[in-house]
């Protein structure tokens, strides 16, 4: 291993740093930004002192007069920051608890001091007390092709753990810690009319947006600390007997975070070309195998159905319980999971977190959507894939919980969270992340999106859905797709596979699900058989069969109760075993089917395979003359014996 | 050897009062049905004539249950309220019926008589209720001291050693099981004494329970542990059988009902075995001239 590090370090030194390739032969992304950082962690003061040299290349055809950078850590400076105003509460007055980043010096080309040109801006909310975005007017505007190089000396004070960031005792998770370029979006990119910087403040509900970059990061920590980063370790040296210096290299990732804690045990595994490293508390080794299985399953599934995982390395961290606040976050080639000591194998929570956070390597890492503005594109799409992976590998009905008496699939949790939310209609799925009212950010970004993506898959099929994502990857990997770009991919792929079967495009689907607030609810209102003329009504208060007129025809009556109109299958089953399959475009408020002759209907089902998962009530999707009461009787019998045993056990 | 003698006698005595246990079982089933049947009704109403119940054949489906919406909420409310009511009622009824049962379990040559069973139940209800309340309160306090407080102390996520809370939990629960058996023994001795001394005197009974438990600790306590182990293994077996069996036909469900009720009857029998064994051990250790002590063992 050491030899390899030496070779890599040598290659790096002779080939000129950030502009050359070390990990992948060919750059995966355009070299727009790059960072070389020398960082030193002082565990006593909880500060990281950094010397950074960074560049931004104007690859647009526009002349850009300024640069904008995020100073995310200032969100934790005081209760006046936009983060705290939205989040509520306060970091308190304790200087040990707050977080901040301070720029000590800021120079540009030829050593010109840029500090006088620097000012805090507040593009989102005009909150003058927020200092999470800084704008530097360039002494000379950057013309197309120009490279803006800056040198910044900074000190980052880590907060007491908040938002997966900061420290707990001797545990450190160092994220959003250095001054970081926003994304310059030229006119036309992500449907922008006028070019400009996309550099949002740090909000309570928001994540991040950045260009794919190269990182050369030197980290100095006390010797006993174990470090994990999203890069590849190139070199390690002993600084002064007490500290060590590690040199890390990362390419084509949108963020560079790292962790340091003396309590980590390090494990490695291999999946194809990918070397996987797991950092886990030394006291929780029983979870190691589960974690590797989960991440390898996710790699296999996404590699097969979306596109290749293009890095030869991947590191993930299972933080200790006392610092579990760091769990469940993604930095592309580094992510954090969350398991617990002795968490039973029947509860797939650690696997779910691992699969989810790894999935962000694709949905955000490779397909670098704007998490501030279109959170459904990372959290929602990624939740959809997480649920598919969990239910594929851990059981279609037991992806989440696999107990003998209770099995829960992962996908069912997102549907029921969305379907039972009282606020499911207050806002569309297409909002900036901090604009979601009534605590709907999670439900909308994660659960509603996953539910309508499942619905889309129900309509166009699994193969076509995978093809959509393969095409999305092909077109948009290492770029910044917008929601509209995703919709365009769906339209193109569906057209290619199905022609006009679903209309000229799929916009009708997205207008209702992504851009609309309606709900979907189809109902079998009633049906009537011929001859005996028995009519059965889907109304639980009417239990007996109502006898009406008899004629030689059977009628099925369907209702659309919700605003959303989706094509649905209808299956009519007759007593003689005959089945008739109907396809209803689902547009009208009601639909009647009439069958002539001596027809005895046994049951009618709308969407018999439960493909339209947006339907908020599956119970009224079917109607039968002889409902199966066995499960209910079984349930009540078990309930009776459970209560009998319980009362007998707890009394003397 | 006394232990095995007492266990054998307890077994014999409990089988002899099988009719009394039948009364226990019947009242338990009737009472629980009072709570469970309305829930079944709510579910039936919620699902109406829907064909979705077929989706529940493989077991509970959270998605289908959540689609019950408001009905699901009233289901969970009636479950929690019903269970609480049931526990309180069973506390009373159990205190009542154990009077009759302990009375039938003491050594005598008479055949089981339902009349005498209920008369004794009524006679000893008050002292048995007091004994139940005091010992239950002690057991709750014990759980608080042995499990809740230590766990609250170490279960903090700030504890860097993640295995410690587990270790403490295992030790706490084990200790609780061991010590709680002492108090169960006290309650059983007290009740066995009470039915022997016909005048209601719950505090004297408890005094006897404590003194006999500690004076005859070496024979009584291991016996309680043996009984606890058998009962626990039985409950685990029931959980396994009832929990995993998912009959899909009406006939199968009826079979499940029958089996679960037979198992419940055995559960009551095992409890009576404990009462009978403690009663027998008490009689074995009672100072001699009490000539009846040797009868029936
Ligand atoms: Zn996520």
């Amino acid at each position: 291993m050491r030899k390899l590090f030496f070779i890599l370090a040598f290659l790096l030194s002779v080939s000129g740093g950030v502009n050359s390739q070390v990990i992948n032969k060919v750059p995966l992304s355009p070299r727009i930004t790059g960072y070389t950082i020398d960082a030193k962690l002082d565990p006593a003061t909880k500060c990281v002192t950094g010397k950074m040299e960074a560049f931004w290349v104007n690859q647009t055809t526009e002349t850009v007069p300024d640069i904008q950078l995020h100073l995310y850590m200032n969100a934790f400076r005081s209760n006046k920051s936009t983060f705290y105003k939205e989040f509520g509460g306060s970091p308190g007055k304790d200087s040990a608890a707050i977080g901040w980043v301070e720029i000590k010096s800021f120079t540009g080309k030829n050593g010109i001091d840029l500090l006088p040109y620097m000012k805090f801006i507040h593009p989102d909310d005009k909150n003058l007390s927020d200092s999470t975005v800084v704008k530097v007017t360039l002494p000379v505007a950057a013309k197309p092709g120009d490279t803006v190089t800056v040198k910044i000396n900074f000190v980052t004070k880590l907060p007491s753990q908040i938002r997966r960031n900061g420290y707990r005792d001797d545990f450190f998770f160092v994220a959003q810690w250095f001054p970081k370029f926003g994304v310059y979006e030229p006119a036309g990119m992500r449907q922008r009319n006028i070019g400009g910087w996309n550099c949002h403040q740090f909000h309570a509900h928001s994540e991040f947006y950045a260009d794919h970059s190269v990182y050369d990061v030197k980290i100095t920590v006390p010797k006993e600390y174990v470090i994990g980063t999203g890069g590849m370790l190139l070199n390690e040296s002993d600084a002064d007997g007490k500290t060590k210096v590690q040199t890390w290299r990362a390419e084509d990732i949108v963020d560079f975070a790292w962790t340091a804690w003396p309590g980590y045990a390090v494990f490695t595994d291999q999946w194809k070309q990918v070397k996987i490293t797991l950092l886990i508390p030394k006291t929780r080794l029983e979870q190691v195998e589960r974690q590797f299985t989960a991440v390898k399953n996710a790699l296999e599934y996404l590699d097969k159905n979306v596109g290749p995982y293009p890095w030869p390395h991947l590191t993930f961290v299972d933080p200790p319980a006392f610092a579990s606040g760091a769990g469940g976050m993604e930095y592309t080639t580094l992510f954090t999971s969350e398991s617990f000591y002795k968490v039973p194998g029947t509860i797939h929570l650690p696997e779910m977190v691992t699969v989810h956070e790894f999935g962000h390597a694709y949905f955000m890492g490779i397909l670098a959507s704007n998490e501030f503005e279109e959170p459904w594109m990372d959290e929602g799409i990624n939740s959809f894939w997480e649920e598919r992976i969990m239910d594929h590998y851990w059981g279609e009905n037991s992806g989440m919980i696999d107990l003998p008496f209770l099995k829960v699939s992962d996908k069912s949790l997102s549907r029921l969270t969305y379907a039972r939310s009282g606020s499911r209609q207050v806002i569309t799925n297409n909002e900036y992340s901090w604009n979601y009212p009534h605590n709907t950010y999670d439900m909308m970004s994660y659960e509603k999106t996953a539910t309508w993506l499942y619905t889309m898959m129900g309509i166009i099929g699994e193969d076509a859905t995978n093809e959509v994502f393969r095409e999305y990857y092909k077109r948009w990997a290492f770029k910044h797709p917008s929601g509209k770009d995703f919709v365009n991919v769906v339209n193109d792929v569906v057209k290619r596979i199905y022609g006009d079967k679903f209309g000229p495009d799929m916009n009708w689907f997205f207008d209702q699900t992504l851009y609309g607030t309606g709900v979907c609810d189809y109902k079998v209102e009633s049906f009537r058989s011929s001859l005996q003329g028995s009519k059965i009504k889907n109304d639980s208060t009417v239990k007996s069969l109502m006898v009406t007129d008899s004629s030689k025809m059977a009628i099925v009556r369907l209702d659309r109760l919700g605003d959303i109109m989706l094509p649905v299958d209808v299956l009519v089953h007759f007593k003689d075993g005959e089945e008739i399959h109907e396809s209803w475009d689902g547009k009208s408020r009601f639909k009647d089917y009439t069958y002539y002759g001596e027809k005895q209907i046994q049951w009618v089902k709308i969407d018999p395979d439960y493909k339209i998962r947006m339907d908020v009530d599956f119970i009224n999707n079917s109607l039968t003359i002889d409902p199966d009461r066995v499960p209910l009787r079984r349930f009540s019998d078990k309930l009776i014996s459970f209560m009998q045993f319980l009362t007998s056990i707890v009394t003397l | 050897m006394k232990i095995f003698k007492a266990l054998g006698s307890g077994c014999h005595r409990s089988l002899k009062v099988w009719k009394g246990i039948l009364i226990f079982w019947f009242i338990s089933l009737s009472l629980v049905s009072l709570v469970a049947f309305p829930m079944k009704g709510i579910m039936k109403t919620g699902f109406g004539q829907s064909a979705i119940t077929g989706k529940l054949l493989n077991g509970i489906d959270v998605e289908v249950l959540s689609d019950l919406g408001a009905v699901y909420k009233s289901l969970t409310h009636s479950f929690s309220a019903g269970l609480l009511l049931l526990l309180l009622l069973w506390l009373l009824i159990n205190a009542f019926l154990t009077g009759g049962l302990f009375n039938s379990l003491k050594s005598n040559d008479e055949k089981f008589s339902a009349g005498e069973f209920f008369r004794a139940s009524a006679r000893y209800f008050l002292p048995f209720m007091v004994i139940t309340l005091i010992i239950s309160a002690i057991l709750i306090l014990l759980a608080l001291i042995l499990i809740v407080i230590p766990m609250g102390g170490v279960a903090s996520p700030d504890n860097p050693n993640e295995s410690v809370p587990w270790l403490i939990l295992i030790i706490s629960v084990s200790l609780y099981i061991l010590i709680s058996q002492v108090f169960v023994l006290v309650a059983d001795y007290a009740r066995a004494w009470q039915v022997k001394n016909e005048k209601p005197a719950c505090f004297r009974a408890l005094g006897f329970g404590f003194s006999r438990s500690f004076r005859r600790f070496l024979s009584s306590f291991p016996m309680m542990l043996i009984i606890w182990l058998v009962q626990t293994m039985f409950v685990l077996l029931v959980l396994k059988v009832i929990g995993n069996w998912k009959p899909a036909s009406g006939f199968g469900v009826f079979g499940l009902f029958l089996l679960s009720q037979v198992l419940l009857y055995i559960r009551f029998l095992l409890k009576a075995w404990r009462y009978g064994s403690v009663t027998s051990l008490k009689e074995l250790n009672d100072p001699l001239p009490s000539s009846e002590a040797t009868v029936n063992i």
Side-chain angles (χ1 to χ4, degrees):
Chain A
M1 255 320 150
R2 286 261 165 209
K3 200 171 174 186
L4 178 68
F5 291 151
F6 176 77
I7 293 166
L8 288 168
F10 175 75
L11 281 174
L12 182 67
S13 61
V14 295
S15 55
V18 290
N19 292 316
S20 60
Q21 288 303 116
V22 176
I23 296 171
N24 283 316
K25 275 185 194 145
V26 181
L28 302 169
S29 60
R31 289 283 167 265
I32 298 173
T33 48
Y35 302 84
T36 305
I37 310 175
D38 189 344
K40 192 171 181 179
L41 171 71
D42 180 357
T45 60
K46 320 292 181 197
C47 282
V48 176
T49 311
K51 286 181 186 161
M52 178 174 100
E53 194 173 328
F55 68 84
W56 172 74
V57 182
N58 182 2
Q59 294 197 355
T60 73
T61 54
E62 300 168 8
T63 298
V64 181
D66 59 357
I67 52 171
Q68 290 185 15
L69 295 111
H70 295 282
L71 297 178
Y72 286 121
M73 205 56 96
N74 282 339
F76 312 119
R77 193 180 267 278
S78 82
N79 59 355
K80 293 195 176 72
S81 71
T82 291
F83 173 86
Y84 269 107
K85 283 196 163 168
E86 292 170 355
F87 190 66
S90 162
K93 295 258 186 291
D94 182 5
S95 62
I98 63 171
W100 42 258
V101 50
E102 219 148 74
I103 293 185
K104 297 291 183 190
S105 70
F106 196 148
T107 54
K109 213 173 174 181
N110 305 324
I112 185 167
D113 185 6
L114 292 177
L115 277 176
Y117 300 90
M118 185 182 98
K119 69 167 186 176
F120 289 107
I121 57 169
H122 325 92
D124 299 334
D125 62 357
K126 312 281 174 270
N127 172 13
L128 298 179
S129 303
D130 189 75
S131 50
T132 56
V133 178
V134 77
K135 172 176 153 173
V136 179
T137 306
L138 296 169
V140 181
K143 287 197 256 328
D146 279 0
T147 298
V148 176
T149 308
V150 294
K151 281 185 183 171
I152 302 175
N153 287 348
F154 64 92
V155 177
T156 294
K157 161 70 179 61
L158 298 164
S160 169
Q161 199 169 65
I162 181 169
R163 304 294 288 171
R164 283 97 162 210
N165 206 331
Y167 72 90
R168 284 299 293 271
D169 301 331
D170 55 351
F171 174 91
F172 292 89
F173 206 95
V174 188
Q176 323 308 340
W177 56 288
F178 59 95
K180 191 173 168 196
F181 287 111
V183 176
Y184 188 83
E185 296 182 329
M189 179 177 166
R190 296 179 63 253
Q191 289 81 37
R192 270 186 91 124
N193 293 324
I194 309 165
W197 283 95
N198 194 305
C199 197
H200 290 291
Q201 294 158 250
F202 197 147
H203 294 269
H205 285 299
S206 78
E207 288 184 341
F208 313 99
Y209 181 44
D211 280 315
H212 296 95
S213 307
V214 278
Y215 291 94
D216 285 303
V217 183
K218 207 186 261 183
I219 300 171
T220 306
V221 291
K223 229 174 170 179
E224 67 275 18
Y225 276 71
V226 179
I227 299 178
T229 82
M232 263 172 72
L233 181 61
L234 300 185
N235 188 22
E236 180 176 333
S237 60
D238 196 325
D240 51 12
K242 283 183 192 155
T243 54
K244 63 180 175 188
V245 184
Q246 289 188 345
T247 308
W248 296 82
R249 165 81 175 186
E251 292 169 6
D252 308 293
I253 59 173
V254 291
D255 200 1
F256 189 96
W258 52 284
T259 179
W261 182 48
Y264 283 128
V266 182
F267 291 85
T268 56
D269 201 340
Q270 191 81 24
W271 181 85
K272 290 190 179 171
Q273 84 291 359
V274 187
K275 183 192 165 198
I276 311 168
T277 306
L278 168 64
L279 272 61
I280 192 165
K282 286 171 190 158
T283 51
R284 206 191 292 157
L285 304 187
E286 90 279 358
Q287 299 291 326
V288 170
E289 208 176 310
R290 289 175 71 172
Q291 289 287 19
F292 277 125
T293 303
V295 79
K296 285 195 279 186
N297 285 349
L299 267 161
E300 179 182 76
Y301 202 82
L302 290 167
D303 184 82
K304 182 175 164 230
N305 294 309
V306 179
Y309 176 83
W311 296 277
H313 61 95
L314 171 67
T315 298
F316 69 126
V317 179
D318 195 354
F322 76 92
S324 62
M329 189 57 193
E330 67 278 7
Y331 309 92
T332 310
T333 43
L334 169 77
F335 70 87
T336 61
S337 178
E338 195 159 21
S339 78
F340 302 98
Y341 183 71
K342 295 274 183 220
V343 56
T346 46
I347 310 290
H348 305 143
L349 185 77
E351 286 89 347
M352 186 273 276
V353 180
T354 294
V355 167
H356 180 95
E357 305 309 338
F358 169 74
H360 279 302
Y362 283 77
F363 306 107
M364 181 286 276
I366 298 169
L367 296 144
S369 52
N370 187 330
E371 297 179 293
F372 288 101
E373 297 184 2
E374 295 174 299
W376 68 270
M377 293 191 72
D378 59 304
E379 292 306 351
I381 291 179
N382 188 42
S383 294
F384 168 68
W385 282 94
E386 162 220 308
E387 289 159 23
R388 288 183 65 188
I389 294 168
M390 291 307 295
D391 294 345
H392 177 81
Y393 288 98
W394 284 272
E396 213 45 57
N397 295 313
S398 52
M400 201 59 220
I401 297 173
D402 193 8
L403 293 164
F405 55 90
L406 180 68
K407 300 198 188 298
V408 179
S409 68
D410 196 11
K411 66 175 171 297
S412 64
L413 294 180
S414 68
R415 177 181 165 268
L416 70 88
T417 305
Y418 158 68
R420 297 279 76 81
S421 164
S423 307
R424 65 192 180 196
Q425 288 187 270
V426 299
I427 194 163
T428 78
N429 222 167
N430 185 47
E431 284 293 336
Y432 284 13
S433 54
W434 56 92
N435 281 344
Y436 285 97
H438 307 169
N439 298 320
T440 51
Y441 165 77
D442 285 345
M443 183 270 292
M444 295 301 287
S445 308
Y446 292 72
E447 282 95 18
K448 184 182 173 182
T449 310
T451 306
W452 62 249
L453 279 166
Y454 263 103
T455 305
M456 184 186 88
M457 184 160 78
I459 295 169
I460 67 172
E462 188 174 339
D463 291 343
T465 303
N466 292 343
E467 198 45 44
V468 162
F469 280 95
R470 276 187 213 112
E471 181 65 28
Y472 180 46
Y473 182 100
K474 224 181 275 170
R475 251 185 240 184
W476 289 102
F478 297 101
K479 294 179 191 143
H480 300 299
S482 70
K484 289 265 188 267
D485 296 325
F486 176 77
V487 171
N488 289 339
V489 171
V490 176
N491 286 340
D492 294 349
V493 172
V494 170
K495 187 135 191 144
R496 193 171 75 214
I497 296 174
Y498 292 105
D500 281 340
K501 184 181 170 191
F502 298 108
D505 53 44
M506 290 288 288
N507 290 350
W508 55 268
F509 177 82
F510 294 103
D511 288 344
Q512 300 184 90
T513 54
L514 166 59
Y515 301 113
T517 58
V519 293
C520 172
D521 188 12
Y522 287 98
K523 175 186 177 183
V524 180
E525 199 278 330
S526 62
F527 63 73
R528 196 187 77 180
S529 292
S530 54
L531 259 190
Q532 290 146 320
S534 54
K535 176 177 170 173
I536 179 166
K537 211 172 174 319
N538 189 3
D539 180 345
S540 47
T541 57
V542 180
K543 300 242 180 62
S544 59
L545 303 182
M546 298 192 323
V547 177
T548 60
D549 69 301
S550 64
S551 61
K552 297 229 166 187
M553 63 180 185
I555 301 172
V556 171
R557 294 188 172 137
L558 312 178
D559 286 352
R560 172 169 65 80
L561 302 181
D563 295 321
I564 289 185
M565 296 175 272
L566 298 174
V568 286
D569 295 331
V570 180
L571 192 59
V572 184
H573 183 95
F574 297 90
K575 277 184 183 167
D576 59 8
E578 185 195 355
E579 284 189 349
I580 296 179
H581 212 114
E582 308 279 3
S583 294
W584 177 25
D585 65 11
K587 285 181 182 163
S588 52
R589 273 288 174 189
F590 66 90
K591 178 81 180 171
D592 293 351
Y593 290 105
T594 307
Y595 305 101
Y596 294 96
E598 292 179 9
K599 296 279 189 186
Q600 298 293 311
I601 297 172
Q602 192 166 17
W603 51 254
V604 178
K605 289 180 182 174
I606 299 176
D607 185 26
D609 300 323
Y610 304 100
K611 292 189 293 189
I612 308 297
R613 295 185 57 77
M614 279 217 93
D615 193 315
V616 294
D617 184 0
F618 282 158
I619 295 173
N620 65 7
N621 281 29
S622 60
L623 200 56
T624 174
I625 52 168
D626 49 358
D628 192 350
R629 302 276 190 226
V630 164
L632 305 190
R633 281 179 48 205
R634 193 177 67 196
F635 180 72
S636 77
D637 284 355
K638 287 193 179 188
L639 191 72
I640 286 173
S641 43
F642 165 75
M643 294 207 267
Q644 283 177 294
F645 269 93
L646 186 72
T647 47
S648 157
I649 288 167
V650 299
T651 47
L652 283 171
Chain B
M1 271 338 269
K2 258 186 192 168
I3 293 177
F4 296 104
K5 238 180 186 174
L7 285 172
S9 167
C11 181
H12 185 242
R13 289 170 197 227
S14 62
L15 288 171
K16 219 179 96 190
V17 297
W18 66 272
K19 284 182 190 159
I21 296 165
L22 212 60
I23 295 171
F24 250 91
W25 164 79
F26 179 74
I27 293 178
S28 154
L29 178 63
S30 318
L31 195 70
V32 170
S33 300
L34 279 179
V35 176
F37 279 127
M39 286 180 66
K40 197 173 162 186
I42 294 172
M43 278 204 298
K44 256 173 116 173
T45 312
F47 286 115
Q49 297 289 116
S50 175
I52 202 162
T53 48
K55 232 179 158 227
L56 298 171
L57 273 177
N58 292 326
I60 296 169
D61 185 319
V62 287
E63 231 178 317
V64 174
L65 287 185
S66 89
D67 279 4
L68 283 170
V71 174
Y72 176 71
K73 271 183 199 149
S74 68
L75 208 62
T76 50
H77 287 162
S78 60
F79 174 72
S80 44
L83 194 62
L84 191 70
L85 185 76
L86 200 67
L87 284 171
L88 290 174
L89 274 177
W90 189 250
L91 199 73
L92 291 170
I93 292 170
N94 191 60
F96 177 77
L97 295 176
T98 41
L101 200 61
F102 265 97
N103 189 54
S104 321
L105 285 166
K106 70 183 175 194
S107 79
N108 58 56
D109 291 327
E110 293 151 37
K111 283 208 149 176
F112 177 83
S113 131
E116 177 53 25
F117 181 90
F118 283 114
R119 268 193 296 280
S121 293
R123 192 159 58 236
Y124 301 122
F125 173 64
L126 216 63
F128 270 48
M129 194 67 226
V130 174
I131 292 168
T132 301
L133 287 178
I134 289 176
I135 298 293
S136 300
I138 291 173
L139 290 177
I140 292 169
L141 201 73
L142 195 69
L144 208 72
I145 294 168
L146 282 180
I147 302 174
V148 180
I149 294 175
M151 280 314 290
V154 294
S156 146
D158 283 338
N159 195 330
N161 196 341
E162 298 179 358
S163 55
V164 168
W166 267 91
L167 213 69
I168 303 264
L169 182 70
I170 290 167
I171 294 170
S172 295
V173 170
S174 310
L175 266 177
Y176 178 76
I177 289 168
L178 288 177
I179 298 175
S180 66
Q181 289 313 302
V182 178
F183 291 100
V184 173
L185 181 67
V186 170
D188 287 353
Y189 268 141
R191 289 183 289 186
W193 181 89
Q194 177 64 78
V195 293
K196 190 83 183 164
N197 298 266
E198 300 197 348
K199 262 191 189 163
C202 54
F203 292 107
R204 277 188 64 198
L206 273 171
F208 173 82
F210 275 105
S211 77
R212 180 57 65 90
S213 298
F214 290 109
R215 270 176 38 210
R216 299 285 177 179
F217 189 78
L218 285 182
S219 57
S220 336
F221 186 66
M223 188 182 81
M224 290 303 280
L225 287 186
I226 292 169
I227 295 170
W228 179 84
L229 205 70
V230 172
Q231 291 190 339
T232 305
M233 273 157 58
F234 177 74
V235 168
L236 290 177
L237 178 86
V238 170
L239 270 178
K240 197 114 188 116
V241 173
I242 303 289
N244 289 337
W245 191 18
K246 291 172 190 161
S249 68
F251 190 72
V253 170
F254 184 64
L256 173 77
F257 176 74
L258 282 185
L259 177 72
S260 62
Q261 292 310 313
V262 167
L263 291 172
L264 194 84
Y265 183 82
I266 298 174
R267 156 78 197 157
F268 283 128
L269 205 64
L270 286 174
K271 222 171 165 182
W273 174 49
R274 191 188 87 209
Y275 300 156
S277 302
V278 174
T279 305
S280 162
L281 194 64
K282 170 190 166 289
E283 289 169 1
L284 278 172
N285 288 325
D286 274 345
L288 273 171
S290 156
S291 56
E292 306 113 87
T294 47
V295 180
N296 246 344
I297 45 173

